[in-house]
Amino acid sequence: LVEQNAQLKREAALADRKLAARNERIQNLEDLLEEAKTRLLTQNKKFDQQLHTVRERLEQARSAKSQSGMALSFGRIAKPLRGKGAAV
C-alpha cells in the first residue's frame, strides 16, 4: 500500500508538471494570437487608408479627365505597327 501510494504521488507530480507545461503553452499561444490580431488590425487600417487615397486619386483623375475632355489621351496604349514597324 505504501508503494502504491508513492507510485500515485509520482504520477500526480508528473501529471502536474505536464499540466503546467500545457497551460504555459496555451498562454504563449494566446499571447501570440493577440499579437497577430493587433498586427492584423494595424495592417487593415493601413490598407483602408491606402485604398481611400487611391480612390481619391482615381476620382480626381476622372474629374480632371472629364473637365479636359478627350483631346489628349496619353493614357491609352496604341496598337503596334504590323510588319517591321514601317509606316504604310
Side-chain angles (χ1 to χ4, degrees), residues 24-66:
E24 184 179 341
R25 177 71 176 146
I26 289 171
Q27 186 62 43
N28 287 338
L29 289 172
E30 287 176 346
D31 292 343
L32 289 173
L33 177 62
E34 196 62 36
E35 289 175 19
K37 283 172 65 176
T38 304
R39 282 195 310 267
L40 183 61
L41 288 174
T42 304
Q43 288 175 350
N44 281 345
K45 286 180 185 178
K46 270 186 181 177
F47 177 75
D48 287 340
Q49 289 172 348
Q50 290 173 344
L51 183 61
H52 182 69
T53 303
V54 168
R55 284 183 175 163
E56 284 179 348
R57 288 181 184 171
L58 180 61
E59 188 60 36
Q60 289 173 357
R62 283 182 178 164
S63 65
K65 186 176 181 180
S66 66

